[in-house]
Each structure stands twice: as C-alpha cells, then as structure tokens.
Amino acid sequence: MNTAGHSEATERRGLELTPFRGLRYDPDLVGSLAAVTSPPYDVVVRPDGLHHLQDSDPHNIVRLILPQATTPSARNEQAADTLHRWLAEGVLTTDPEPGLYVYEQSDGNGLLQRGIIGALRLSDPSEGVVLPHEDVMPHVVADRAALMRATSANLEPLLLTYRGNGSPADTATVVEHVAARPPLLATTTEDGYSHRLWSVTDPTDLARIQRDLTHHQALIADGHHRWATYRRLRAEHPSPSPWDYGLVLLVDTARYPLRVRAIHRLLHGVPVSDALASLEGLFHIRHLEVPLPEALEALADAACAGNAFLLAGDGAFHLVDRPDPDLLARTIPADRPAAWRTLDATVLHATLLAHVWHIPEDSPAHIAYIHDTAATVRKAERDGGTAVLMHPVREEVVRDLARQGVTMPRKSTSFGPKPASGLVLRTLEP
C-alpha cells in the first residue's frame, strides 16, 4: 500500500493517508520511553534544552533530530551513523506490518487530543489539499533536507489539522474504538503530558479512515519547513517512491481543538534600550514593573485594540503598541488582504525588523525564534539582547488566510500540543 495506485492518487482530491511500518524504540533497551522523547526540533531551546535532552538518555531522539558536530555535513553523517547503529543494536525496531497509528496526548487538566499518524501523499499548493499558512526560511529547509537525505527517514511527524463535520465520521469512529484498547505504548513526559499510541492494521478500519480523509483538506499547524523539505526531496526521487509520502499527524479540530500560541523573537546583540529608543515617536511605549503573567495580560488587552508587542531583556517589560498610521502605510505592502496587513507578525517583520531595526529575519546570527515565553525572556536578560513577545493569532484567521492562498510571515503561530518526537519514526529505505 506504500506506492501502489499512484496514477489514481494523482487524480484524487483530498488527503491520501497511507499505512507504514513504524520504527519504534524497544522499551527493554532504553531507560524509559519518556527519556528518549523530545519536543520537535524547532521547539528545543538551545543550548540548555538540547544538553538536558542529551543527558536524559544516551538514546534520546534529539541525537537524530539535532545532531551535534563541528560542520553541517559531520552533523548529518553523525545522525545517519547513530540511526544505523541503533537499528543494528535493536534499540529501534520496525513494526511487523504496515499500519496507521492513533496517537493521544493529555495533560491531566482536561486537555485531550487524538489524531492519526500516517504517511501522507505529498501534494502541490495548486491542488489545495494541504494548506500552508506561513512562509519558510530557505536555509532551514536546506538543513532539514540534508539531514533527511543522510538518514533516509522521517524522524518526527509534522502536525496537520482538518475540520470534520462534528459527527462521528469514519475516522473519528475508528479512533475512538481503537483508543478503548490497550495501547502499544504509554508514557508521561516531564512536562506532565501523557502519551499513548495504538496501531491500526485491520483492513476494514484502514479503508474507512482512508475513504473519509479523501473528502478533507488539511492546514499545516506545525511543520512548514518539514513539509517544504518533503516536497523538495520528492522532486529529487523518481516517482513512484517512498519519498512521495511524508510522516504526519492529522488531528480533527472539530473534535479536538488545538491551542494556538505565539512564537517569540530574540534579537541578538540589541539591548532593550536601543530597541526602544528607535521606536520613540513611532509607537506608544509603556514601561511595566510587573511579573511576566501580568505583563502578558497587558499585552493581550492591548492586542484587542490593535498591534502590540512586549519587549523584555533588561529586568522589566515594555508594552509597545498604537503604531503611527503613517509608518504602517509606508512599510506594509498594500497588495494583501486587510487581515494579513493588520497581523502583529506582519507589522513586526515589515515595519519593525525591516524598516526600524534593520534586522534580517532569516539570519540566525541576528534573530532567534523561541516558543517558550519565559525562556525567551531569560535568554534576552542573560545575553543582553531584546525579547519581542507576541500575542497569539486566532485559528480562524490562520485558516481563512490559508484558504485564500495567503501565507503569514514565518514563525507566526505555534499550534499545540505538538506530537512528541521519538514515539514513531518512518524509514524510507527498503
């Protein structure tokens, strides 16, 4: 079922999810399943979080998704060698038969998310099957592609959402039925989330899921760079091949709504005083001597009225809002929908980064993108930089823009909870 029926699939509209033989850790050969998992590669706060994960277990998946060496080629070679060694030692083993995987996450406080992990047929944007909503950074795609070429594996699933009609459709019925059985694996990670995984191998169940998903399109919630990487690598391999498909987690947000959080920016080598001085007369600036939670509340209130940001790094917080309308008119492209022109991320990238601060948005030497709010503030204070904290965008805004074919500035949103890396991998080698 991996590549058969390719010519028929190219004519089919909707999602085509294919079973695969999952690559999973042998729990008898690792310290614990929790100790070998990691957040997605771009969520790991480096270097602190990276070192913590490396130290948690010698087989932690971070050694594959973020290998450490002196050069990019050495890093990728190291990841490939590590993967092959773990396979030879039996640390990672291949499931006996192809299947889809039901994946569940819960936080013990009412949040429950379930979805389906499988190999999704890759599609072009013109097909309207998988909708991106953010731009990507070419150097990140190149980096991920080199790693994927070296390992010949999808090391972590990206997160896609689709909207069911709220009724117990075939996919939802199978998911709930399977989740009532004992799982293949269950573990609780140190963030308090519990994770459970089941395999779906029954031909009738697989057919019901696949038939249902052909009626849906998906939004990329997390993993734009990995999706772009999948598509780049597909173009390098003659079709049909395993590279026609990429590892994804599909979540029906009509049944399991995701949380949408912001991704923050850390400006390297830019003291808060300098960042604020350049905004005088262009934005309204209010200094807040309050703890982080209260500062975020002030940001949320200000964001209801217009564009707003929170700057930090000098031991205090500075609310920056009410931009000068003439400044926005000069710096925001006018050829996009109003919903895009008024995004905080648009104002940040087009006005602040490009026009006021003159900081290249795709240069790791100048700017970092960090999901964790407190970690962004800590790193800014420790390194003498400026943290730019963002308020999250509503999911309906993201989806509406994606359906119009309009992409948001890179790293505009963080949907979650994200799938833990290390629970199931997909090899592209025979």
mmCIF file of all heavy atoms in Angstrom, residues 354-402:
data_model
loop_
_atom_site.group_PDB
_atom_site.id
_atom_site.type_symbol
_atom_site.label_atom_id
_atom_site.label_comp_id
_atom_site.label_asym_id
_atom_site.label_seq_id
_atom_site.Cartn_x
_atom_site.Cartn_y
_atom_site.Cartn_z
ATOM 1 N N ALA A 354 12.353 45.090 9.345
ATOM 2 C CA ALA A 354 12.900 45.549 8.065
ATOM 3 C C ALA A 354 13.159 47.054 8.034
ATOM 4 O O ALA A 354 14.170 47.506 7.482
ATOM 5 C CB ALA A 354 11.952 45.169 6.930
ATOM 6 N N HIS A 355 12.257 47.845 8.630
ATOM 7 C CA HIS A 355 12.320 49.305 8.445
ATOM 8 C C HIS A 355 12.948 50.036 9.635
ATOM 9 O O HIS A 355 13.755 50.961 9.437
ATOM 10 C CB HIS A 355 10.916 49.854 8.193
ATOM 11 C CG HIS A 355 10.863 51.323 7.923
ATOM 12 N ND1 HIS A 355 11.173 51.859 6.688
ATOM 13 C CD2 HIS A 355 10.563 52.373 8.730
ATOM 14 C CE1 HIS A 355 11.050 53.179 6.752
ATOM 15 N NE2 HIS A 355 10.685 53.516 7.988
ATOM 16 N N VAL A 356 12.576 49.645 10.856
ATOM 17 C CA VAL A 356 13.042 50.392 12.034
ATOM 18 C C VAL A 356 14.359 49.825 12.566
ATOM 19 O O VAL A 356 15.332 50.558 12.772
ATOM 20 C CB VAL A 356 11.967 50.378 13.140
ATOM 21 C CG1 VAL A 356 12.476 51.103 14.391
ATOM 22 C CG2 VAL A 356 10.682 51.033 12.642
ATOM 23 N N TRP A 357 14.413 48.529 12.782
ATOM 24 C CA TRP A 357 15.598 47.922 13.399
ATOM 25 C C TRP A 357 16.626 47.417 12.378
ATOM 26 O O TRP A 357 17.758 47.145 12.744
ATOM 27 C CB TRP A 357 15.178 46.767 14.315
ATOM 28 C CG TRP A 357 14.428 47.212 15.530
ATOM 29 C CD1 TRP A 357 14.573 48.395 16.203
ATOM 30 C CD2 TRP A 357 13.413 46.491 16.239
ATOM 31 N NE1 TRP A 357 13.716 48.456 17.277
ATOM 32 C CE2 TRP A 357 12.991 47.295 17.323
ATOM 33 C CE3 TRP A 357 12.817 45.237 16.068
ATOM 34 C CZ2 TRP A 357 12.008 46.874 18.225
ATOM 35 C CZ3 TRP A 357 11.840 44.821 16.954
ATOM 36 C CH2 TRP A 357 11.440 45.635 18.023
ATOM 37 N N HIS A 358 16.214 47.234 11.123
ATOM 38 C CA HIS A 358 17.118 46.753 10.063
ATOM 39 C C HIS A 358 17.781 45.432 10.463
ATOM 40 O O HIS A 358 19.011 45.281 10.408
ATOM 41 C CB HIS A 358 18.185 47.809 9.739
ATOM 42 C CG HIS A 358 17.601 49.149 9.376
ATOM 43 N ND1 HIS A 358 16.932 49.366 8.182
ATOM 44 C CD2 HIS A 358 17.563 50.326 10.070
ATOM 45 C CE1 HIS A 358 16.523 50.625 8.153
ATOM 46 N NE2 HIS A 358 16.885 51.222 9.275
ATOM 47 N N ILE A 359 16.957 44.486 10.852
ATOM 48 C CA ILE A 359 17.425 43.157 11.261
ATOM 49 C C ILE A 359 16.929 42.137 10.246
ATOM 50 O O ILE A 359 15.717 42.033 10.008
ATOM 51 C CB ILE A 359 16.907 42.805 12.669
ATOM 52 C CG1 ILE A 359 17.530 43.749 13.705
ATOM 53 C CG2 ILE A 359 17.214 41.345 13.012
ATOM 54 C CD1 ILE A 359 16.986 43.562 15.103
ATOM 55 N N PRO A 360 17.817 41.364 9.609
ATOM 56 C CA PRO A 360 17.378 40.346 8.648
ATOM 57 C C PRO A 360 16.638 39.218 9.364
ATOM 58 O O PRO A 360 17.166 38.620 10.302
ATOM 59 C CB PRO A 360 18.689 39.850 8.023
ATOM 60 C CG PRO A 360 19.756 40.219 9.004
ATOM 61 C CD PRO A 360 19.282 41.448 9.717
ATOM 62 N N GLU A 361 15.437 38.919 8.894
ATOM 63 C CA GLU A 361 14.576 37.969 9.596
ATOM 64 C C GLU A 361 15.022 36.522 9.451
ATOM 65 O O GLU A 361 14.568 35.657 10.196
ATOM 66 C CB GLU A 361 13.144 38.107 9.081
ATOM 67 C CG GLU A 361 13.004 37.788 7.603
ATOM 68 C CD GLU A 361 11.584 37.947 7.104
ATOM 69 O OE1 GLU A 361 10.779 38.579 7.793
ATOM 70 O OE2 GLU A 361 11.288 37.422 6.023
ATOM 71 N N ASP A 362 15.897 36.254 8.481
ATOM 72 C CA ASP A 362 16.303 34.868 8.244
ATOM 73 C C ASP A 362 17.758 34.617 8.621
ATOM 74 O O ASP A 362 18.355 33.632 8.188
ATOM 75 C CB ASP A 362 16.077 34.482 6.786
ATOM 76 C CG ASP A 362 16.826 35.396 5.822
ATOM 77 O OD1 ASP A 362 17.428 36.380 6.284
ATOM 78 O OD2 ASP A 362 16.804 35.119 4.608
ATOM 79 N N SER A 363 18.332 35.487 9.447
ATOM 80 C CA SER A 363 19.727 35.340 9.858
ATOM 81 C C SER A 363 19.809 34.859 11.301
ATOM 82 O O SER A 363 19.520 35.626 12.228
ATOM 83 C CB SER A 363 20.477 36.668 9.717
ATOM 84 O OG SER A 363 21.755 36.579 10.319
ATOM 85 N N PRO A 364 20.226 33.598 11.539
ATOM 86 C CA PRO A 364 20.338 33.101 12.924
ATOM 87 C C PRO A 364 21.319 33.913 13.760
ATOM 88 O O PRO A 364 21.228 33.897 14.991
ATOM 89 C CB PRO A 364 20.834 31.658 12.733
ATOM 90 C CG PRO A 364 20.455 31.282 11.335
ATOM 91 C CD PRO A 364 20.556 32.558 10.550
ATOM 92 N N ALA A 365 22.243 34.599 13.117
ATOM 93 C CA ALA A 365 23.188 35.413 13.877
ATOM 94 C C ALA A 365 22.524 36.653 14.469
ATOM 95 O O ALA A 365 23.038 37.240 15.429
ATOM 96 C CB ALA A 365 24.359 35.834 12.983
ATOM 97 N N HIS A 366 21.388 37.054 13.896
ATOM 98 C CA HIS A 366 20.723 38.278 14.337
ATOM 99 C C HIS A 366 19.433 38.032 15.103
ATOM 100 O O HIS A 366 19.028 38.873 15.926
ATOM 101 C CB HIS A 366 20.409 39.173 13.129
ATOM 102 C CG HIS A 366 21.627 39.708 12.448
ATOM 103 N ND1 HIS A 366 22.282 39.027 11.443
ATOM 104 C CD2 HIS A 366 22.315 40.864 12.629
ATOM 105 C CE1 HIS A 366 23.316 39.739 11.032
ATOM 106 N NE2 HIS A 366 23.365 40.860 11.722
ATOM 107 N N ILE A 367 18.754 36.924 14.826
ATOM 108 C CA ILE A 367 17.432 36.717 15.411
ATOM 109 C C ILE A 367 17.184 35.229 15.644
ATOM 110 O O ILE A 367 17.609 34.379 14.853
ATOM 111 C CB ILE A 367 16.329 37.315 14.503
ATOM 112 C CG1 ILE A 367 14.963 37.270 15.177
ATOM 113 C CG2 ILE A 367 16.298 36.644 13.141
ATOM 114 C CD1 ILE A 367 13.891 38.083 14.430
ATOM 115 N N ALA A 368 16.548 34.913 16.763
ATOM 116 C CA ALA A 368 16.135 33.536 17.071
ATOM 117 C C ALA A 368 14.636 33.522 17.286
ATOM 118 O O ALA A 368 14.032 34.522 17.712
ATOM 119 C CB ALA A 368 16.856 33.025 18.319
ATOM 120 N N TYR A 369 14.019 32.372 16.992
ATOM 121 C CA TYR A 369 12.578 32.189 17.149
ATOM 122 C C TYR A 369 12.370 31.144 18.239
ATOM 123 O O TYR A 369 12.804 29.996 18.107
ATOM 124 C CB TYR A 369 11.952 31.727 15.829
ATOM 125 C CG TYR A 369 12.105 32.733 14.710
ATOM 126 C CD1 TYR A 369 13.279 32.811 13.964
ATOM 127 C CD2 TYR A 369 11.079 33.628 14.419
ATOM 128 C CE1 TYR A 369 13.428 33.740 12.945
ATOM 129 C CE2 TYR A 369 11.217 34.567 13.397
ATOM 130 C CZ TYR A 369 12.391 34.621 12.672
ATOM 131 O OH TYR A 369 12.529 35.555 11.666
ATOM 132 N N ILE A 370 11.718 31.537 19.332
ATOM 133 C CA ILE A 370 11.609 30.676 20.512
ATOM 134 C C ILE A 370 10.145 30.560 20.918
ATOM 135 O O ILE A 370 9.434 31.567 21.021
ATOM 136 C CB ILE A 370 12.455 31.228 21.682
ATOM 137 C CG1 ILE A 370 13.913 31.407 21.239
ATOM 138 C CG2 ILE A 370 12.380 30.304 22.886
ATOM 139 C CD1 ILE A 370 14.810 32.016 22.298
ATOM 140 N N HIS A 371 9.701 29.319 21.168
ATOM 141 C CA HIS A 371 8.306 29.086 21.535
ATOM 142 C C HIS A 371 8.033 29.402 23.002
ATOM 143 O O HIS A 371 6.945 29.860 23.348
ATOM 144 C CB HIS A 371 7.926 27.628 21.258
ATOM 145 C CG HIS A 371 7.918 27.266 19.808
ATOM 146 N ND1 HIS A 371 9.076 27.179 19.055
ATOM 147 C CD2 HIS A 371 6.897 26.963 18.968
ATOM 148 C CE1 HIS A 371 8.765 26.838 17.811
ATOM 149 N NE2 HIS A 371 7.462 26.705 17.730
ATOM 150 N N ASP A 372 8.970 29.117 23.872
ATOM 151 C CA ASP A 372 8.758 29.252 25.314
ATOM 152 C C ASP A 372 8.933 30.711 25.740
ATOM 153 O O ASP A 372 9.999 31.302 25.560
ATOM 154 C CB ASP A 372 9.745 28.346 26.058
ATOM 155 C CG ASP A 372 9.499 28.322 27.551
ATOM 156 O OD1 ASP A 372 9.900 29.279 28.239
ATOM 157 O OD2 ASP A 372 8.893 27.348 28.042
ATOM 158 N N THR A 373 7.872 31.271 26.338
ATOM 159 C CA THR A 373 7.882 32.693 26.686
ATOM 160 C C THR A 373 8.945 33.015 27.726
ATOM 161 O O THR A 373 9.769 33.923 27.538
ATOM 162 C CB THR A 373 6.497 33.117 27.202
ATOM 163 O OG1 THR A 373 5.489 32.699 26.278
ATOM 164 C CG2 THR A 373 6.428 34.618 27.380
ATOM 165 N N ALA A 374 8.928 32.278 28.841
ATOM 166 C CA ALA A 374 9.881 32.566 29.920
ATOM 167 C C ALA A 374 11.313 32.348 29.460
ATOM 168 O O ALA A 374 12.224 33.109 29.843
ATOM 169 C CB ALA A 374 9.566 31.690 31.141
ATOM 170 N N ALA A 375 11.536 31.328 28.634
ATOM 171 C CA ALA A 375 12.889 31.059 28.145
ATOM 172 C C ALA A 375 13.390 32.200 27.261
ATOM 173 O O ALA A 375 14.574 32.546 27.293
ATOM 174 C CB ALA A 375 12.925 29.744 27.376
ATOM 175 N N THR A 376 12.494 32.795 26.472
ATOM 176 C CA THR A 376 12.886 33.919 25.631
ATOM 177 C C THR A 376 13.347 35.088 26.489
ATOM 178 O O THR A 376 14.373 35.721 26.200
ATOM 179 C CB THR A 376 11.710 34.358 24.740
ATOM 180 O OG1 THR A 376 11.154 33.227 24.079
ATOM 181 C CG2 THR A 376 12.165 35.360 23.688
ATOM 182 N N VAL A 377 12.607 35.367 27.549
ATOM 183 C CA VAL A 377 12.971 36.471 28.444
ATOM 184 C C VAL A 377 14.297 36.178 29.141
ATOM 185 O O VAL A 377 15.185 37.043 29.226
ATOM 186 C CB VAL A 377 11.854 36.726 29.470
ATOM 187 C CG1 VAL A 377 12.283 37.795 30.479
ATOM 188 C CG2 VAL A 377 10.562 37.141 28.765
ATOM 189 N N ARG A 378 14.450 34.947 29.637
ATOM 190 C CA ARG A 378 15.690 34.591 30.337
ATOM 191 C C ARG A 378 16.906 34.733 29.426
ATOM 192 O O ARG A 378 17.942 35.265 29.836
ATOM 193 C CB ARG A 378 15.612 33.155 30.863
ATOM 194 C CG ARG A 378 14.722 32.966 32.079
ATOM 195 C CD ARG A 378 14.997 31.627 32.749
ATOM 196 N NE ARG A 378 14.822 30.500 31.837
ATOM 197 C CZ ARG A 378 13.674 29.850 31.662
ATOM 198 N NH1 ARG A 378 12.593 30.230 32.337
ATOM 199 N NH2 ARG A 378 13.597 28.828 30.835
ATOM 200 N N LYS A 379 16.796 34.260 28.204
ATOM 201 C CA LYS A 379 17.936 34.338 27.287
ATOM 202 C C LYS A 379 18.255 35.786 26.942
ATOM 203 O O LYS A 379 19.424 36.168 26.814
ATOM 204 C CB LYS A 379 17.647 33.524 26.027
ATOM 205 C CG LYS A 379 17.696 32.013 26.252
ATOM 206 C CD LYS A 379 17.386 31.236 24.993
ATOM 207 C CE LYS A 379 18.500 31.312 23.980
ATOM 208 N NZ LYS A 379 19.739 30.640 24.438
ATOM 209 N N ALA A 380 17.230 36.620 26.788
ATOM 210 C CA ALA A 380 17.478 38.032 26.499
ATOM 211 C C ALA A 380 18.209 38.697 27.662
ATOM 212 O O ALA A 380 19.170 39.463 27.462
ATOM 213 C CB ALA A 380 16.162 38.750 26.211
ATOM 214 N N GLU A 381 17.766 38.410 28.885
ATOM 215 C CA GLU A 381 18.401 39.010 30.061
ATOM 216 C C GLU A 381 19.828 38.508 30.231
ATOM 217 O O GLU A 381 20.727 39.269 30.611
ATOM 218 C CB GLU A 381 17.568 38.712 31.302
ATOM 219 C CG GLU A 381 16.214 39.413 31.306
ATOM 220 C CD GLU A 381 15.361 39.069 32.510
ATOM 221 O OE1 GLU A 381 15.677 38.073 33.208
ATOM 222 O OE2 GLU A 381 14.373 39.788 32.761
ATOM 223 N N ARG A 382 20.049 37.231 29.948
ATOM 224 C CA ARG A 382 21.382 36.651 30.121
ATOM 225 C C ARG A 382 22.353 37.121 29.041
ATOM 226 O O ARG A 382 23.528 37.363 29.306
ATOM 227 C CB ARG A 382 21.280 35.131 30.088
ATOM 228 C CG ARG A 382 22.595 34.399 30.374
ATOM 229 C CD ARG A 382 22.376 32.909 30.396
ATOM 230 N NE ARG A 382 21.948 32.405 29.089
ATOM 231 C CZ ARG A 382 21.450 31.187 28.891
ATOM 232 N NH1 ARG A 382 21.293 30.363 29.917
ATOM 233 N NH2 ARG A 382 21.093 30.797 27.684
ATOM 234 N N ASP A 383 21.856 37.271 27.805
ATOM 235 C CA ASP A 383 22.735 37.574 26.682
ATOM 236 C C ASP A 383 22.799 39.058 26.328
ATOM 237 O O ASP A 383 23.560 39.445 25.434
ATOM 238 C CB ASP A 383 22.287 36.792 25.445
ATOM 239 C CG ASP A 383 22.269 35.292 25.675
ATOM 240 O OD1 ASP A 383 22.952 34.827 26.612
ATOM 241 O OD2 ASP A 383 21.571 34.585 24.916
ATOM 242 N N GLY A 384 21.981 39.878 26.978
ATOM 243 C CA GLY A 384 21.994 41.302 26.661
ATOM 244 C C GLY A 384 21.250 41.654 25.394
ATOM 245 O O GLY A 384 21.496 42.706 24.795
ATOM 246 N N GLY A 385 20.320 40.777 24.978
ATOM 247 C CA GLY A 385 19.523 41.038 23.786
ATOM 248 C C GLY A 385 18.145 41.536 24.133
ATOM 249 O O GLY A 385 17.854 41.900 25.278
ATOM 250 N N THR A 386 17.266 41.558 23.143
ATOM 251 C CA THR A 386 15.886 42.015 23.322
ATOM 252 C C THR A 386 14.932 40.893 22.974
ATOM 253 O O THR A 386 14.996 40.328 21.873
ATOM 254 C CB THR A 386 15.578 43.229 22.431
ATOM 255 O OG1 THR A 386 16.390 44.335 22.842
ATOM 256 C CG2 THR A 386 14.103 43.629 22.534
ATOM 257 N N ALA A 387 14.053 40.566 23.917
ATOM 258 C CA ALA A 387 12.969 39.625 23.648
ATOM 259 C C ALA A 387 11.771 40.414 23.135
ATOM 260 O O ALA A 387 11.385 41.429 23.733
ATOM 261 C CB ALA A 387 12.593 38.871 24.921
ATOM 262 N N VAL A 388 11.204 39.958 22.019
ATOM 263 C CA VAL A 388 9.982 40.550 21.482
ATOM 264 C C VAL A 388 8.893 39.500 21.640
ATOM 265 O O VAL A 388 8.875 38.495 20.924
ATOM 266 C CB VAL A 388 10.135 40.959 20.003
ATOM 267 C CG1 VAL A 388 8.852 41.626 19.511
ATOM 268 C CG2 VAL A 388 11.332 41.883 19.819
ATOM 269 N N LEU A 389 8.002 39.724 22.604
ATOM 270 C CA LEU A 389 6.946 38.768 22.906
ATOM 271 C C LEU A 389 5.697 39.120 22.114
ATOM 272 O O LEU A 389 5.310 40.284 22.011
ATOM 273 C CB LEU A 389 6.637 38.761 24.407
ATOM 274 C CG LEU A 389 7.841 38.532 25.335
ATOM 275 C CD1 LEU A 389 7.382 38.467 26.791
ATOM 276 C CD2 LEU A 389 8.605 37.269 24.961
ATOM 277 N N MET A 390 5.066 38.064 21.566
ATOM 278 C CA MET A 390 3.921 38.231 20.674
ATOM 279 C C MET A 390 2.652 37.709 21.330
ATOM 280 O O MET A 390 2.693 36.830 22.194
ATOM 281 C CB MET A 390 4.158 37.452 19.376
ATOM 282 C CG MET A 390 5.488 37.709 18.714
ATOM 283 S SD MET A 390 5.467 39.196 17.736
ATOM 284 C CE MET A 390 4.454 38.667 16.357
ATOM 285 N N HIS A 391 1.511 38.214 20.852
ATOM 286 C CA HIS A 391 0.206 37.693 21.259
ATOM 287 C C HIS A 391 -0.276 36.732 20.172
ATOM 288 O O HIS A 391 -0.088 37.009 18.976
ATOM 289 C CB HIS A 391 -0.793 38.830 21.437
ATOM 290 C CG HIS A 391 -2.129 38.395 21.970
ATOM 291 N ND1 HIS A 391 -2.285 37.897 23.248
ATOM 292 C CD2 HIS A 391 -3.363 38.368 21.391
ATOM 293 C CE1 HIS A 391 -3.553 37.598 23.440
ATOM 294 N NE2 HIS A 391 -4.221 37.854 22.333
ATOM 295 N N PRO A 392 -0.859 35.581 20.543
ATOM 296 C CA PRO A 392 -1.223 34.584 19.513
ATOM 297 C C PRO A 392 -2.345 35.050 18.594
ATOM 298 O O PRO A 392 -3.192 35.878 18.965
ATOM 299 C CB PRO A 392 -1.658 33.369 20.340
ATOM 300 C CG PRO A 392 -2.003 33.907 21.691
ATOM 301 C CD PRO A 392 -1.124 35.084 21.909
ATOM 302 N N VAL A 393 -2.341 34.481 17.386
ATOM 303 C CA VAL A 393 -3.369 34.731 16.381
ATOM 304 C C VAL A 393 -4.481 33.705 16.554
ATOM 305 O O VAL A 393 -4.227 32.554 16.916
ATOM 306 C CB VAL A 393 -2.772 34.609 14.962
ATOM 307 C CG1 VAL A 393 -3.798 34.948 13.895
ATOM 308 C CG2 VAL A 393 -1.551 35.499 14.825
ATOM 309 N N ARG A 394 -5.717 34.082 16.269
ATOM 310 C CA ARG A 394 -6.823 33.134 16.348
ATOM 311 C C ARG A 394 -6.750 32.142 15.194
ATOM 312 O O ARG A 394 -6.386 32.487 14.068
ATOM 313 C CB ARG A 394 -8.170 33.851 16.310
ATOM 314 C CG ARG A 394 -8.384 34.829 17.447
ATOM 315 C CD ARG A 394 -9.834 35.303 17.519
ATOM 316 N NE ARG A 394 -10.403 35.596 16.215
ATOM 317 C CZ ARG A 394 -10.234 36.756 15.568
ATOM 318 N NH1 ARG A 394 -9.497 37.707 16.118
ATOM 319 N NH2 ARG A 394 -10.804 36.954 14.400
ATOM 320 N N GLU A 395 -7.139 30.875 15.456
ATOM 321 C CA GLU A 395 -7.047 29.828 14.439
ATOM 322 C C GLU A 395 -7.885 30.164 13.212
ATOM 323 O O GLU A 395 -7.471 29.898 12.077
ATOM 324 C CB GLU A 395 -7.493 28.479 15.004
ATOM 325 C CG GLU A 395 -7.407 27.353 13.980
ATOM 326 C CD GLU A 395 -7.907 26.017 14.491
ATOM 327 O OE1 GLU A 395 -8.272 25.921 15.676
ATOM 328 O OE2 GLU A 395 -7.937 25.066 13.685
ATOM 329 N N GLU A 396 -9.054 30.768 13.396
ATOM 330 C CA GLU A 396 -9.909 31.044 12.244
ATOM 331 C C GLU A 396 -9.268 32.051 11.293
ATOM 332 O O GLU A 396 -9.451 31.995 10.074
ATOM 333 C CB GLU A 396 -11.292 31.529 12.682
ATOM 334 C CG GLU A 396 -11.312 32.714 13.623
ATOM 335 C CD GLU A 396 -11.356 32.318 15.087
ATOM 336 O OE1 GLU A 396 -10.836 31.231 15.436
ATOM 337 O OE2 GLU A 396 -11.899 33.095 15.901
ATOM 338 N N VAL A 397 -8.466 32.983 11.826
ATOM 339 C CA VAL A 397 -7.745 33.929 10.974
ATOM 340 C C VAL A 397 -6.708 33.188 10.139
ATOM 341 O O VAL A 397 -6.571 33.419 8.929
ATOM 342 C CB VAL A 397 -7.069 35.027 11.826
ATOM 343 C CG1 VAL A 397 -6.177 35.910 10.948
ATOM 344 C CG2 VAL A 397 -8.117 35.870 12.544
ATOM 345 N N VAL A 398 -5.989 32.277 10.801
ATOM 346 C CA VAL A 398 -4.969 31.484 10.103
ATOM 347 C C VAL A 398 -5.592 30.680 8.965
ATOM 348 O O VAL A 398 -5.120 30.684 7.825
ATOM 349 C CB VAL A 398 -4.260 30.542 11.096
ATOM 350 C CG1 VAL A 398 -3.260 29.649 10.369
ATOM 351 C CG2 VAL A 398 -3.566 31.337 12.197
ATOM 352 N N ARG A 399 -6.695 29.991 9.271
ATOM 353 C CA ARG A 399 -7.328 29.120 8.280
ATOM 354 C C ARG A 399 -7.911 29.937 7.124
ATOM 355 O O ARG A 399 -7.802 29.554 5.963
ATOM 356 C CB ARG A 399 -8.414 28.272 8.959
ATOM 357 C CG ARG A 399 -8.914 27.105 8.115
ATOM 358 C CD ARG A 399 -9.885 26.249 8.913
ATOM 359 N NE ARG A 399 -9.237 25.595 10.034
ATOM 360 C CZ ARG A 399 -8.585 24.427 9.944
ATOM 361 N NH1 ARG A 399 -8.509 23.815 8.784
ATOM 362 N NH2 ARG A 399 -8.029 23.886 11.004
ATOM 363 N N ASP A 400 -8.536 31.067 7.424
ATOM 364 C CA ASP A 400 -9.127 31.895 6.367
ATOM 365 C C ASP A 400 -8.058 32.412 5.411
ATOM 366 O O ASP A 400 -8.249 32.416 4.183
ATOM 367 C CB ASP A 400 -9.901 33.070 6.977
ATOM 368 C CG ASP A 400 -11.212 32.637 7.612
ATOM 369 O OD1 ASP A 400 -11.637 31.492 7.369
ATOM 370 O OD2 ASP A 400 -11.804 33.432 8.371
ATOM 371 N N LEU A 401 -6.926 32.869 5.946
ATOM 372 C CA LEU A 401 -5.849 33.344 5.085
ATOM 373 C C LEU A 401 -5.281 32.205 4.245
ATOM 374 O O LEU A 401 -5.003 32.371 3.052
ATOM 375 C CB LEU A 401 -4.740 33.983 5.926
ATOM 376 C CG LEU A 401 -5.040 35.373 6.495
ATOM 377 C CD1 LEU A 401 -3.942 35.806 7.457
ATOM 378 C CD2 LEU A 401 -5.180 36.402 5.373
ATOM 379 N N ALA A 402 -5.123 31.024 4.865
ATOM 380 C CA ALA A 402 -4.582 29.874 4.129
ATOM 381 C C ALA A 402 -5.498 29.496 2.973
ATOM 382 O O ALA A 402 -5.026 29.155 1.879
ATOM 383 C CB ALA A 402 -4.390 28.693 5.074
#
